[in-house]
């Protein structure tokens, strides 16, 4: 069978990796089977790249665990080639020991089917990193419901434009940052299995054109900017300054010349972007005002979104440091970053309490405190996992869920007084 212009082998291929999953031996037939060259993988690439991204958090830890406990893992699985095409295979994994101590794993892959077509459309969708849109959608919803709850103001068309604009800016930021990380060599330096960190890394597969990828990113940023400019003509200049700052941060998180993340201010900028800028921007469009209760809500969400970025940066510390991307997490190191992370999460909920006591925020928003136990778990998980990127996966996912739960509870808390008045 063939896949493009390369023959597809039906022979069993052998790959070995160390205890961290980094490829150590890569047979010629493995290169033929998976499409990656020896120079691309040996000592550089994680075996996670041969698996479907959705299977990495579950299948990979399970197969490694079963290989250790039972001496062998063997199962029919779906694997992925460099170009994103997939094939079914029988995967056998055994532990590798030296002098009585385990030093890694050996995987033997017996292909059962030829590869599928190259999923160009799916790779483009993956490049969007759409699941992370929660960080922009929730703040827009909170800003809009706060406008209705506090001032009884809601304009459906303006709300939809705010939502579309925020999502466009966010998608553009995701893709632009991935493009610059790829160009800097950051993607090549990522060697862990954690799917919540390290960006989409689709450009490594050589299917999507880098210039086209960056052009799409800039197009999204342009769409968001045009929506913002239209809204400025409708509601006034204060929105313009918010918009300029927001687009600048979206592009400059790792984009030149500012490269905010490289200078240790990326986490702060992102917290402001998805908290005060997004919440208050939406609120101002609908009310033409900035009210203290809305400011409190924006700070709460900004801290939680900063928390998502913060814990997602921990697995990337070695890769970021290798290319000079000195984020705050890199600068602090894992122990101090863990302490600060706990402070960020605690501050997010403390702000709500203070907002109710001192700023006239409706007490119903304290329903969000029911999400506090969910937010504490990632802090505890980071304390336990430390720098282990694989052990941190549940905490990365948990921080996203805690932010979503807090946002939903805030929406409920804002809706109740608006409905009963």
């Amino acid at each position: 069978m063939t896949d493009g212009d390369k023959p597809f082998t039906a022979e069993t291929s052998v790959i070995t990796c160390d205890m961290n999953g980094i490829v150590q031996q890569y047979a010629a037939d493995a290169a033929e089977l998976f499409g990656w060259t020896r120079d691309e993988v040996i000592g550089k690439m994680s075996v996670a790249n041969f698996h479907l991204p959705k299977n990495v958090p579950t299948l990979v830890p399970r197969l490694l665990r079963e290989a250790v406990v039972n001496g062998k893992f063997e199962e029919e699985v779906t694997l992925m080639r460099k170009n994103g095409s997939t094939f079914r295979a029988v995967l056998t994994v055994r532990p590798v020991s030296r002098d009585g101590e385990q030093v890694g794993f050996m995987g033997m892959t017996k292909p059962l089917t030829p590869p599928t077509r190259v999923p160009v459309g799916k790779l483009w969708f993956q490049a969007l990193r759409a699941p992370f849109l929660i960080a922009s959608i929730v703040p827009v919803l909170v800003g809009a419901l706060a406008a209705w709850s506090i001032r009884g103001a809601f304009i459906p068309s303006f709300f939809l434009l705010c939502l579309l604009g925020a999502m466009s800016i966010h998608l553009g930021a995701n893709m632009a940052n991935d493009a610059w990380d790829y160009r800097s060599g950051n993607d090549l330096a990522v060697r862990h299995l954690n799917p919540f960190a390290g960006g989409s890394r689709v450009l490594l597969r050589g299917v999507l054109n880098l210039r086209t990828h960056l052009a799409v990113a800039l197009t999204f940023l342009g769409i968001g900017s045009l929506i913002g400019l239209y809204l400025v003509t409708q509601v006034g200049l204060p929105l313009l300054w918010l918009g300029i700052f927001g687009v600048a941060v979206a592009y400059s998180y790792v984009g030149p010349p500012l490269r905010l993340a490289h200078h240790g201010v990326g986490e702060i900028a992102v917290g402001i972007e998805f908290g005060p800028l997004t919440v208050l921007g939406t609120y101002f469009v609908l009310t033409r005002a900035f009210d203290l209760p809305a400011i409190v809500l924006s700070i709460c969400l900004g801290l939680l979104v900063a928390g998502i970025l913060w814990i997602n940066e921990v697995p990337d510390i070695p890769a970021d440091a290798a290319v000079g991307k000195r984020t705050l997490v890199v600068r602090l190191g894992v122990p101090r970053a863990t302490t600060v992370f706990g402070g960020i999460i605690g501050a997010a909920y403390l702000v709500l309490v203070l907002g109710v006591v001192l700023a006239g925020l409706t007490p119903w928003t304290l329903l969000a405190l029911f999400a506090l136990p969910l937010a504490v778990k990632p802090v505890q998980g980071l304390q336990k996992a430390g720098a282990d990127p694989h052990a941190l996966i549940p905490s990365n996912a948990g921080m996203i869920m805690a932010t979503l739960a807090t946002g939903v509870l805030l929406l409920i808390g804002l809706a109740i007084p608006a409905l009963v008045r």
Side-chain angles (χ1 to χ4, degrees):
M1 298 291 180
T2 62
D3 177 26
D5 56 358
K6 293 185 178 181
F8 180 76
T9 179
E11 300 298 322
T12 299
S13 65
V14 177
I15 299 171
T16 66
C17 68
D18 62 17
M19 294 299 291
N20 294 317
I22 307 303
V23 177
Q24 302 299 306
Q25 294 180 319
Y26 188 68
D29 55 1
E32 185 178 326
L33 177 62
F34 288 101
W36 301 92
T37 67
R38 289 170 58 85
D39 288 342
E40 288 175 318
V41 302
I42 294 180
K44 302 175 183 177
M45 185 174 290
S46 166
V47 293
N49 286 279
F50 307 133
H51 292 269
L52 299 179
K54 67 179 182 179
N55 290 343
V56 171
T58 53
L59 173 62
V60 175
R62 179 170 67 83
L63 70 86
L64 296 179
R65 182 174 60 253
E66 290 185 15
V68 172
V69 174
N70 302 326
K72 173 185 176 182
F73 167 91
E74 186 168 85
E75 193 172 297
E76 185 176 325
V77 300
T78 299
L79 299 174
M80 180 177 288
R81 306 189 76 231
K82 177 181 178 180
N83 62 14
S85 61
T86 61
F87 62 94
R88 297 290 293 175
V90 174
L91 176 63
T92 304
V93 179
R94 300 178 187 272
V96 175
S97 299
R98 185 179 299 122
D99 299 326
E101 181 180 355
Q102 185 181 350
V103 295
F105 297 89
M106 178 180 67
M108 295 175 288
T109 305
K110 174 65 176 179
L112 301 175
T113 65
T116 61
R117 291 181 178 274
V118 178
V120 177
K122 187 175 182 179
L123 289 175
W124 275 113
F125 181 77
Q126 187 178 339
L128 295 174
R129 299 168 67 191
F132 287 99
L133 283 175
I134 178 181
S136 54
I137 292 175
V138 169
V140 170
L141 294 176
V142 169
L145 198 51
W148 181 47
S149 176
I150 296 169
R151 286 189 172 250
F154 185 76
I155 305 171
S157 60
F158 282 8
F159 162 71
L160 291 175
L161 286 173
C162 286
L163 186 61
L164 180 59
M167 291 172 62
S168 297
I169 295 295
H170 193 171
L171 293 173
N174 285 346
M175 296 188 68
N177 292 333
D178 276 354
W180 295 121
D181 276 342
Y182 174 75
R183 293 186 65 172
S184 72
N186 189 259
D187 283 357
L188 289 171
V190 174
R191 300 180 180 180
H192 56 69
L193 307 178
N194 192 313
F196 295 97
S200 69
R201 284 173 277 180
V202 296
L203 290 170
L204 287 174
R205 299 192 175 276
V207 176
L208 308 185
N209 179 272
L210 175 60
R211 289 186 177 181
T212 304
H213 183 279
L214 190 54
V216 172
L218 295 176
T219 299
F220 274 118
L221 291 175
I223 291 172
S225 299
L226 289 174
I227 291 173
L229 288 173
Y230 170 75
L231 289 173
V232 167
T233 67
Q234 303 301 304
V235 302
L237 284 179
L239 183 65
L240 177 63
W241 312 123
L242 293 177
I244 290 174
F245 186 85
V247 174
V249 168
Y251 173 81
S252 299
Y253 177 70
V254 291
L258 297 181
R259 298 184 181 275
L260 300 174
H262 290 247
H263 299 291
V265 295
E267 298 89 346
I268 298 171
V270 165
I272 295 173
E273 171 93 355
F274 292 104
L277 283 181
T278 304
V279 175
L280 295 180
T282 303
Y283 188 86
F284 182 82
V285 166
L286 298 174
T287 66
R288 315 294 201 277
F290 297 111
D291 292 315
L292 192 54
I295 294 173
V296 170
L297 292 168
S298 74
I299 294 173
C300 171
L301 288 177
L303 288 166
L304 290 175
V305 173
I308 293 176
L309 175 63
W310 193 276
I311 195 171
N312 285 355
E313 285 180 337
V314 173
D316 290 338
I317 288 176
D320 289 345
V323 298
K325 187 177 177 181
R326 291 181 51 77
T327 65
L328 274 177
V329 172
V330 169
R331 293 165 187 259
L332 291 172
V334 176
R336 286 188 294 175
T338 301
T339 301
V340 174
F341 179 60
I344 291 172
I345 301 308
Y349 295 95
L350 177 60
V351 163
L352 276 182
V353 176
L354 294 177
V356 171
V357 175
L358 302 175
L361 185 63
T362 172
W364 286 106
T365 56
L366 294 181
L367 286 172
L369 296 180
F370 284 108
L372 183 56
L374 293 178
V376 169
K377 286 185 178 180
V379 178
Q380 296 171 332
L382 180 55
Q383 291 170 341
K384 183 178 180 180
D388 186 339
H390 312 139
L392 198 56
I393 289 174
S395 298
N396 295 119
M399 189 60 222
I400 295 173
M401 293 306 300
T403 302
L404 177 60
T406 302
V408 171
L409 290 170
L410 284 176
L411 292 171
I412 295 172
L414 290 168
I416 290 174
L419 291 172
V420 301
R421 66 187 175 197

